[in-house]
């Protein structure tokens, strides 16, 4: 698909699918782009991004606090999903 075709396809599928959908992307950049496209085509859909840690298991530093907060918020909201 060209352009924002993936976003349109995902938005259409999510609107017709009765339950939650999981979309896995190859990078954080492609995840953000797809999220923006889906929000454009279906602004009423609840999207719960689950960002990458952006660190390796053996790194001496922890992931950024914003990433940890976003992941915890997504995990907290998962049980509330109805579609």
């Amino acid at each position: 698909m060209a352009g924002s075709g993936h976003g349109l396809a995902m938005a259409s599928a999510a609107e017709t699918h009765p339950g939650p959908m999981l979309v896995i992307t190859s990078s954080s950049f492609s995840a953000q782009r797809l999220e923006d496209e889906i929000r454009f085509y279906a602004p009423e859909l609840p999207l719960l991004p689950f960002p990458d840690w952006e660190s390796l298991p053996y790194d001496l530093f922890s992931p950024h606090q914003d990433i940890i907060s976003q992941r915890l918020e997504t995990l907290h909201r998962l049980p509330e999903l109805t579609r």
Side-chain angles (χ1 to χ4, degrees), residues 23-38 49-52:
V23 177
I24 299 174
T25 62
S26 61
S27 68
S28 297
F29 175 75
S30 61
Q32 183 62 51
R33 188 182 73 219
L34 185 60
E35 180 182 347
D36 292 342
E37 291 171 3
I38 292 171
F50 196 71
D52 182 23

Side-chain angles (χ1 to χ4, degrees), residues 49-53 66-76:
F50 196 71
D52 182 23
W53 283 117
D66 291 343
I67 293 172
I68 295 170
S69 296
Q70 180 66 53
R71 290 172 65 101
L72 288 173
E73 179 184 354
T74 295
L75 292 173
H76 175 72

